[in-house]
Amino acid sequence: MEKQKHIDKAPHVELLGKPTQKDAWLMPEEVHELVDAAQTSHLKLSIRLKIATGAGNEAALQLTWDRVDLERETISLRDPLDTAHRKGPPRFQ
C-alpha cells in the first residue's frame, strides 16, 4: 500500500517464526476410545482409515475403490490421474 501511495508509511509488522513441529501419537487404547466415541459407522471407518494409513482429510475423501486391493490388503492413496511431480501419499499395506 505504501508503494502504491495509498498511505504515507506502512506500520512495522513483526513476523512470527515458523512453529516447531510437534510429534504426538495416540496409544492403542486412545484409538479404541476414539473409535468407540464416534456416533456413526462412516465416522468410525474414517477414523480407522486415517489412523491406519496416515491419510489426511483430502486424501481420504478422494480415495476411490479402484485404489483399494482387498486381495493384497493394500490401499494406494496416490491418485493415478494426478500427474504432478511431487511427493505423494504413501502406499500402505
Side-chain angles (χ1 to χ4, degrees):
M1 292 242 162
E2 187 176 350
K3 289 180 183 179
Q4 290 84 15
K5 306 294 183 205
H6 294 293
I7 57 174
D8 293 330
K9 178 131 177 81
H12 171 73
V13 176
E14 183 179 346
L15 299 177
L16 300 176
K18 196 173 187 177
T20 58
Q21 184 175 351
K22 297 177 183 175
D23 292 330
W25 297 272
L26 291 175
M27 300 303 292
E29 57 273 4
E30 293 173 311
V31 172
H32 291 296
E33 287 178 26
L34 184 60
V35 171
D36 290 343
Q39 299 293 313
T40 61
S41 59
H42 70 278
L43 186 54
K44 290 177 188 282
L45 179 60
S46 175
I47 293 167
R48 287 184 180 123
L49 173 71
K50 292 174 186 179
I51 297 254
T53 64
N57 285 333
E58 190 73 20
L61 289 171
Q62 291 181 354
L63 183 62
T64 55
W65 279 109
D66 61 315
R67 292 185 274 151
V68 177
D69 188 334
L70 296 175
E71 289 180 16
R72 293 185 182 151
E73 298 181 340
T74 60
I75 294 174
S76 178
L77 296 173
R78 182 176 284 123
D79 182 354
L81 301 177
D82 185 358
T83 58
H85 294 286
R86 62 178 177 272
K87 183 179 177 182
R91 182 182 176 106
F92 290 94
Q93 178 164 318

